[in-house]
Amino acid sequence: MHGDVQAPLRQCSPEKHPRSPRRPVLSRRCQNQRAGAGGCGRPESTGAGSRLSAGHWRQDVGEIAQGIERALRTRPVPSSTEARLRFLLAAHQGSTRRVAAVLGVSQRTVQRWVTKRPGARRQPGPLQVRAIEETVLGRWQPRIRARRRAQAEAEGFVFHTRARFGFAAPAGSSDDPRVRWITQYLPGEVARELFAARDAGGGEQQQRVILAHALGHAYFRDGGLRAHGLGIAFTDVEFADFSIG
């Protein structure tokens, strides 16, 4: 459960795009949840930690960070430690020495992880599994990720979420928060803010503040045409999907 994030009033410059111009391309898990299967926006695998920075991502961070990461990829990250080790070896021309240097372990350790000799193979420990995961995530589709980020910052994106929204009017009145499904186009300036916050090590709360500002203007105040001064609280994010392009 996330604490409340109250977004103060901010005016975003209107864009040429209409409100919710198209349905986002949802992940298969999101489509399944709408059909009752559940599981949308959950991590593909679990790990420890909560830091998200440029090229360094842990999958148990918040739903917004996970949604951004899914949107930047066109192919899923290898899910097993064995497959991730194969990827690292391929990326380093099969050199166990170079893989060991990247992971901060000995070459002999990597050789024991990948050997096919009966009885000689060893499994990485929990901390090593986490290091392998993070190393793969930081090296997965770098050119594609950079290209999709640039596209989102230039053209904007469609944001799709299920979360709890509350409202506060300038006079002090408020409505009880309730869960809503929202699909809304947001301009490139919002993408730039989200990526800048991520690069600076900002967490889920900062990302929710940015999106609360943007949704308050674009969705709830209809681009500044109504509900002037309405403040938005954006909490309890069940999932967040981003459609780029």
Side-chain angles (χ1 to χ4, degrees):
M1 298 290 286
H2 301 290
D4 287 355
V5 174
Q6 180 69 44
L9 176 63
R10 187 188 72 168
Q11 295 295 329
C12 298
S13 57
E15 296 279 336
K16 62 181 179 180
H17 298 266
R19 175 177 169 179
S20 301
R22 64 189 186 279
R23 192 179 187 84
V25 181
L26 301 181
S27 66
R28 183 169 297 177
R29 273 197 295 277
C30 287
Q31 294 169 2
N32 289 341
Q33 187 183 56
R34 285 199 161 181
C40 181
R42 301 303 174 197
E44 297 172 3
S45 64
T46 58
S50 59
R51 181 171 176 263
L52 176 68
S53 60
H56 190 93
W57 180 67
R58 292 180 177 178
Q59 286 191 311
D60 61 341
V61 295
E63 298 293 339
I64 294 169
Q66 293 181 55
I68 292 173
E69 190 64 25
R70 286 193 301 271
L72 293 177
R73 299 193 303 251
T74 59
R75 290 188 292 118
V77 177
S79 58
S80 70
T81 299
E82 183 177 358
R84 289 167 179 167
L85 284 169
R86 287 198 300 269
F87 167 78
L88 290 176
L89 282 170
H92 294 89
Q93 292 76 48
S95 171
T96 54
R97 180 181 58 80
R98 293 174 61 186
V99 172
V102 168
L103 295 175
V105 297
S106 70
Q107 182 178 7
R108 182 59 179 157
T109 296
V110 175
Q111 290 171 342
R112 287 172 176 165
W113 291 343
V114 301
T115 184
K116 298 186 182 300
R117 287 191 294 128
R121 189 163 189 170
R122 298 292 183 268
Q123 295 297 322
L127 293 178
Q128 295 163 334
V129 167
R130 184 188 309 167
I132 293 167
E133 177 185 25
E134 292 176 351
T135 302
V136 171
L137 289 169
R139 287 162 171 76
W140 191 253
Q141 296 187 305
R143 289 190 295 271
I144 290 174
R145 289 163 55 86
R147 183 166 65 246
R148 290 179 70 81
R149 170 175 174 163
Q151 184 177 5
E153 291 179 340
E155 302 174 5
F157 59 94
V158 175
F159 181 54
H160 184 90
T161 189
R162 177 176 167 85
R164 190 174 303 277
F165 290 88
F167 315 97
S173 61
S174 62
D175 294 328
D176 290 335
R178 65 184 178 91
V179 174
R180 293 172 178 256
W181 290 84
I182 289 182
T183 296
Q184 176 63 45
Y185 166 82
L186 295 173
E189 67 181 77
V190 180
R192 291 191 292 272
E193 285 188 64
L194 286 171
F195 284 118
R198 187 187 75 158
D199 293 347
E204 184 84 352
Q205 181 171 347
Q206 185 176 356
Q207 293 161 343
R208 279 189 283 125
V209 168
I210 293 168
L211 288 167
H213 279 305
L215 290 172
H217 176 76
Y219 185 90
F220 293 102
R221 295 193 294 275
D222 199 11
L225 298 179
R226 61 184 177 89
H228 301 290
L230 185 70
I232 307 300
F234 177 32
T235 63
D236 300 344
V237 181
E238 295 182 14
F239 73 87
D241 258 17
F242 297 76
S243 178
I244 301 172

